Amino acid sequence: MIKELRDRTGVGMGKCKEALEEAKGDMELAISNLRKAGIASAVKKEGRTTNEGVISTAENAKTVALVEVNAETDFVAKNERFQDFAKNVAAEVATTTPASLDAFKSQKYSKEPGLTIEDYRATIVQTIGENIQLRRLKTFKKDANKSIGVYSHLGGKLVTVVEITGSDKEEALAKDIAMHIAAAAPDYLNEKEVPESVIQNERDIAKSQMKGKPDAVINKILDGKLEAFYNQVCLTRQEYIKDPSQKIMDVINQKAKATGKPLQITGFIRWGVGQ
């Protein structure tokens, strides 16, 4: 836990140990206390992943699909049979668009109708000799008013998807923004999506760092810190990785003006194996 706290906050091992002891092993409370003390600033949402596997993608004329398939070791995750299994189940998800992971597991496998997807998984486990699990899946429906961009990094260890509405001709832009998301790791699309509890927590942390200052000064600084927080965690307000002079919202607005289309980012995901 000390190592995970260090990975997420960049704080020294000694301070991490103290923070965890004070928080009685509560990771999130330890992070909050370190931030209130002004020791930790930027915090990674996730620690290092513990599961191995791959996030497999597939698409057809109607759907883009993602499936995370986990294994016990990275060695098996690179195994050809494991990789084929991941590709096959992703293709099944794209074709059948199941309502849930449980529903998907119980449906028939099209290449061998005598087997369910769960049966198919069991045969792979028997063949490889290591536990293999389907962890999650998601589908994105294509239509004439939407562009979907998919970016896969590190051989499927990290996959991002972006939906842009207003045109079906902006897949290249959507993929560029998906690449940005892989690097910048936003938590929310825009400030409207940030939960009030998260905003209040940021205010509490900022106030803890400004004890003794007049209320008028504190409120002004709070507003500035909240704006900086939005710029860090909200996709539309982040500086574009390929051109830091522009924010993502500027890139979209410029493209909308150039094409005459009402372009908007309406959704994104960022999946890391094991996260």
Side-chain angles (χ1 to χ4, degrees):
M1 289 184 73
I2 293 170
K3 188 174 187 306
E4 180 183 347
L5 184 56
R6 184 184 184 184
D7 288 341
R8 291 180 65 180
T9 63
V11 174
M13 298 289 274
K15 290 292 184 183
C16 286
K17 183 174 185 293
E18 290 175 9
L20 283 167
E21 288 174 347
E22 181 183 343
K24 296 181 179 179
D26 186 323
M27 181 67 69
E28 298 305 320
L29 178 58
I31 289 172
S32 182
N33 289 341
L34 286 172
R35 293 188 66 198
K36 286 178 178 178
I39 299 173
S41 52
V43 178
K44 296 176 183 177
K45 189 176 181 183
E46 300 287 347
R48 296 184 66 178
T49 60
T50 54
N51 294 332
E52 298 297 341
V54 68
I55 298 163
S56 188
T57 64
E59 67 177 289
N60 53 37
K62 296 181 178 180
T63 309
V64 173
L66 281 75
V67 182
E68 179 175 350
V69 187
N70 291 143
E72 294 178 46
T73 63
D74 188 52
F75 177 78
V76 163
K78 294 175 180 176
N79 178 284
E80 185 176 350
R81 286 182 181 272
F82 176 88
Q83 291 285 333
D84 286 344
F85 172 70
K87 290 175 183 176
N88 288 339
V89 293
E92 291 287 308
V93 171
T95 300
T96 62
T97 61
S100 68
L101 180 60
D102 286 340
F104 178 60
K105 290 179 179 179
S106 63
Q107 72 185 36
K108 298 296 183 181
Y109 177 40
S110 64
K111 292 184 178 180
E112 293 185 51
L115 299 177
T116 63
I117 296 296
E118 177 61 18
D119 293 334
Y120 176 34
R121 182 197 66 82
T123 65
I124 298 299
V125 171
Q126 292 172 358
T127 301
I128 294 178
E130 185 170 302
N131 189 20
I132 309 295
Q133 292 292 333
L134 298 173
R135 184 156 188 257
R136 52 182 168 172
L137 59 81
K138 189 170 182 64
T139 58
F140 296 84
K141 185 179 179 181
K142 296 181 178 180
D143 64 47
N145 195 47
K146 184 187 297 180
S147 296
I148 301 174
V150 182
Y151 176 65
S152 180
H153 187 55
L154 298 173
K157 294 292 186 183
L158 175 65
V159 173
T160 56
V161 182
V162 174
E163 286 185 337
I164 296 177
T165 58
S167 171
D168 63 351
K169 308 297 183 184
E170 299 299 336
E171 284 191 6
L173 175 61
K175 184 171 182 178
D176 280 346
I177 295 174
M179 292 174 67
H180 165 94
I181 290 168
D187 295 322
Y188 310 99
L189 177 58
N190 52 48
E191 59 269 36
K192 294 178 182 178
E193 290 194 351
V194 183
E196 185 58 38
S197 60
V198 173
I199 295 172
Q200 189 57 50
N201 185 56
E202 290 301 314
R203 287 185 175 276
D204 290 344
I205 288 170
K207 282 182 180 179
S208 298
Q209 299 170 348
M210 296 183 288
K211 290 178 180 177
K213 294 185 179 180
D215 288 345
V217 173
I218 289 176
N219 289 334
K220 188 173 182 180
I221 295 175
L222 278 177
D223 290 341
K225 283 184 174 290
L226 200 54
E227 288 297 305
F229 173 72
Y230 289 147
N231 290 339
Q232 178 186 357
V233 302
C234 297
L235 172 61
T236 58
R237 297 185 51 156
Q238 288 182 329
E239 294 179 353
Y240 187 29
I241 292 293
K242 294 179 72 173
D243 180 4
S245 69
Q246 297 188 89
K247 294 185 182 294
I248 293 295
M249 68 176 78
D250 299 326
V251 175
I252 293 295
N253 290 338
Q254 285 182 12
K255 191 68 170 181
K257 185 177 180 179
T259 60
K261 301 288 185 179
L263 303 179
Q264 280 189 309
I265 302 175
T266 48
F268 77 91
I269 64 169
R270 183 182 188 275
W271 281 7
V273 169
Q275 292 182 344

